[in-house]
Amino acid sequence: MRYTLLMHYPEASAESLGAEVIEAGQRAMTSYAAALDAAGVLLAAEVLQPSASTTTVRLVDGGLQIQDGPFADTKEQLAGTFVIEVPDLDVALEWAGKVPAVSWGGAVEVRPGAVHYADGAWRPNA
Amino acid sequence: MSGVAETAERAARASYGRLVALLAAASGDLVLAEDALAAAFEQALTTWPRSGVPGNPEGWLLTVARNRQRDVFRSAAHRRAAPLDEAAEVAVSPLDEIDPDAVPDRRLALLLVCAHPAIDPAVRTPLMLQVVLGVDAARIARAFALPPATMAQRLVRAKRRIRDARIPFAVPARADLAGRLPAVLEAVYGCYALGGPDDPDLVGEARYLAVTLAALLETEPEAWGLAALVTLASARAAGRDDRRYLPLDRQDPRSWDAALIAEGESYLRRAGPGPAGRFRLEAAVQAVHCDRARTGVTDWTALRTLYRALLLVAPSLGARTALAGVVGRLDGAQAGLAELDPLAAAPAASGFQPYWAVRAHLLAAAGRPAEAADAYARAATLADDGQVRAYLLERRAALPSG
């Protein structure tokens, strides 16, 4: 069963965090990803750039509207995702609890996948 | 014919949760499991009168329901509903390994699913009532004072969530189980608390759930404590007068159910010695009250000790209010009121009926009838139960004028 862990946390500038905190954060993310990998459950991992660099596209009055900024302007922003393959929700929740962002005051949403595209076809989650 | 119906009824009562737990475990699909089981029961009622009740009704029901489930998985309708095929077919297969002649009891896993942290606490008790006991949604809705459609929708949504997020039908290892149990106990307790004097049937369901849970866990003291609590409280339900409310200390102990008291006490003994948690302490409170049937008196000192301990382990407005009443008996109304005073500022107390009832009682005993009258009026306004309200107003009317 595939689950996507969506990390949300309050964004902070590199200056306000300081080099030491950023380094510690990177180390935590490295060992977390390594742990997922070693357990054989990691399918994909991505940390996103801050929402200041994001662009949102939608249809407005029949035309494409391209707008700078995130889809939703919230205090916590989507900051990255992990796609994992584990037997059930309990295992997924256990991994979610270890996402470093949780200890940074963030939240991790655990969303089961429905279908995913592979080898030329949509595959059901199982 | 009635014999067959009775056998079916008995099988239904004893087996419902066991069969649902088995049928749903592989796919996580409670809706499908319940539908398949309902169809099997239906078939039993038409087949058994003709061919006789099978030697192993539970195994028979499991086989029929399992076949039914497989048909649904294979049907075109299900394929269309599912995003893409195959997975479902695989999901049902572990059932084939189950011997219908030795149906295992996986209800603990089912109870854990119902009280899973990913399930809204408000729907845990209704879910247990439905999938473990087979109580229908309309009946549950009545108990929760909700429109049947609303309750049905909440239950379906929770079941869909269990299937789609794949909440596992599994009993975690001992260390993790400890963290999950409080929610399960709480949901069973919720069923008991909801039943109350107005709904003795629901208290009966809570008792069945609590005893089942304790038996499945075998050696969990708090589970036996909860089983004892609900059983002892049920024992006194027989003593209630249908026409009017009688406070506990005015009930005639001869009207209580001695067999249930003995049963409850045996559960409390099974909880064993050692430091007591919330449910064991509450059960011990019930046991002290029930003991009046034997001794003719209530041991208020023991109750004071128990409530003090309860406040340490699980502080609550209810326990504090009860302690004030007990202290009032032992050390006089002034002392009881002194226990209540710190609560006066608590916002929750202003809408808590027992707080006002105990306060009224203590004020009356302290010779402050005017204040007592106000407190009785307030308690009566807050009472949900008509008989309780009538009793409180009666007490108010009996106050000396002054």
Side-chain angles (χ1 to χ4, degrees):
Chain A
M1 179 88 167
R2 294 163 71 108
Y3 296 86
T4 298
L5 312 183
L6 301 120
M7 291 189 285
H8 302 263
Y9 50 81
E11 295 181 327
S13 66
E15 297 81 60
S16 71
L17 289 173
E20 229 170 275
V21 172
I22 290 175
E23 261 169 53
Q26 283 167 344
R27 272 199 304 276
M29 287 294 275
T30 302
S31 62
Y32 179 66
L36 286 172
D37 210 11
V41 300
L42 183 62
L43 296 177
E46 183 133 356
V47 174
L48 306 172
Q49 289 196 27
S51 59
S53 55
T54 198
T55 308
T56 301
V57 178
R58 52 160 62 91
L59 205 57
V60 176
D61 299 329
L64 273 188
Q65 188 202 56
I66 296 171
Q67 204 173 23
D68 78 311
F71 159 68
D73 219 355
T74 50
K75 190 165 119 314
E76 273 116 4
Q77 282 291 332
L78 178 66
T81 58
F82 290 93
V83 182
I84 61 173
E85 168 114 42
V86 292
D88 56 50
L89 183 66
D90 280 355
V91 184
L93 292 174
E94 213 180 305
W95 281 112
K98 294 176 184 159
V99 172
V102 171
S103 59
W104 306 339
V108 174
E109 192 180 327
V110 180
R111 187 80 80 93
V115 292
H116 63 278
Y117 195 80
D119 302 325
W122 284 102
R123 312 276 167 190
N125 198 358
Chain B
M1 178 65 207
S2 78
V4 168
E6 210 175 279
T7 307
E9 176 77 34
R10 236 192 343 262
R13 183 83 183 116
S15 318
Y16 190 88
R18 240 197 313 257
L19 293 173
V20 167
L22 283 171
L23 290 162
S27 64
D29 195 334
L30 282 164
V31 175
L32 178 58
E34 285 179 304
D35 287 351
L37 188 54
F41 275 116
E42 220 168 277
Q43 197 172 321
L45 285 174
T46 56
T47 311
W48 294 0
R50 280 202 314 269
S51 56
V53 177
N56 172 10
E58 201 172 64
W60 188 95
L61 288 165
L62 179 64
T63 306
V64 173
R66 185 171 55 183
N67 291 339
R68 174 93 183 184
Q69 211 177 16
R70 203 177 282 126
D71 290 346
V72 173
F73 274 129
R74 286 192 186 132
S75 76
H78 190 267
R79 291 228 171 144
R80 264 200 306 279
L84 289 164
D85 42 48
E86 288 170 40
E89 186 77 31
V90 180
V92 80
S93 68
L95 262 189
D96 292 332
E97 293 159 21
I98 291 165
D99 175 6
D101 291 327
V103 176
D105 195 343
R106 305 252 166 86
R107 281 177 297 176
L108 181 54
L110 185 58
L111 286 162
L112 282 159
V113 165
C114 294
H116 193 276
I119 296 293
D120 176 4
V123 82
R124 290 175 189 169
T125 301
L127 207 48
M128 280 183 182
L129 285 170
Q130 182 155 75
V131 304
V132 183
L133 301 179
V135 180
D136 68 75
R139 170 79 184 83
I140 301 169
R142 261 203 314 283
F144 279 75
L146 280 172
T150 308
M151 181 52 82
Q153 195 187 19
R154 283 187 193 174
L155 286 164
V156 166
R157 209 179 290 146
K159 289 176 201 170
R160 211 176 283 151
R161 185 172 172 74
I162 288 164
R163 181 195 63 194
D164 294 346
R166 191 161 302 170
I167 291 177
F169 282 64
V171 179
R174 196 119 207 121
D176 292 331
L177 185 61
R180 297 275 310 277
L181 277 184
V184 181
L185 293 168
E186 192 62 46
V188 174
Y189 180 79
C191 179
Y192 155 71
L194 189 71
D198 295 343
D199 202 336
D201 286 353
L202 206 58
V203 174
E205 306 290 17
R207 184 156 61 87
Y208 181 79
L209 275 179
V211 174
T212 301
L213 176 64
L216 289 168
L217 288 164
E218 293 176 12
T219 55
E220 171 55 43
E222 276 295 272
W224 285 113
L226 180 57
L229 163 61
V230 181
T231 306
L232 291 169
S234 309
R236 289 192 288 96
R240 289 203 182 86
D241 184 323
D242 286 340
R243 288 152 298 154
R244 57 194 297 265
Y245 169 75
L246 272 180
L248 179 47
D249 60 335
R250 296 201 185 174
Q251 289 175 17
D252 181 354
R254 283 169 305 185
S255 64
W256 298 343
D257 186 326
L260 277 181
I261 291 178
E263 190 183 323
E265 286 172 339
S266 77
Y267 297 152
L268 197 52
R269 279 193 298 275
R270 281 197 73 161
R278 169 194 167 192
F279 293 121
R280 277 172 72 192
L281 287 168
E282 284 196 38
V285 165
Q286 292 293 335
V288 169
H289 284 301
C290 287
D291 217 26
R292 182 155 66 87
R294 214 166 0 232
T295 62
V297 291
T298 301
D299 186 345
W300 297 104
T301 312
L303 286 177
R304 179 171 57 190
T305 308
L306 289 169
Y307 277 121
R308 289 238 154 93
L310 191 56
L311 281 172
L312 288 177
V313 197
S316 73
L317 201 50
R320 192 155 277 284
T321 301
L323 174 64
V326 171
V327 168
R329 298 242 179 202
L330 283 168
D331 305 328
Q334 284 305 339
L337 285 168
E339 290 281 342
L340 272 189
D341 281 340
L343 289 182
S350 69
F352 188 55
Q353 186 261 334
Y355 168 81
W356 290 103
V358 168
R359 188 167 182 84
H361 185 70
L362 291 169
L363 286 167
R368 290 154 68 178
E371 291 163 88
D374 287 348
Y376 272 128
R378 189 113 182 225
T381 313
L382 291 167
D384 295 328
D385 184 315
Q387 291 179 8
V388 172
R389 196 176 315 120
Y391 167 79
L392 291 165
L393 293 174
E394 218 172 87
R395 295 291 295 256
R396 183 173 187 268
L399 289 167
S401 55

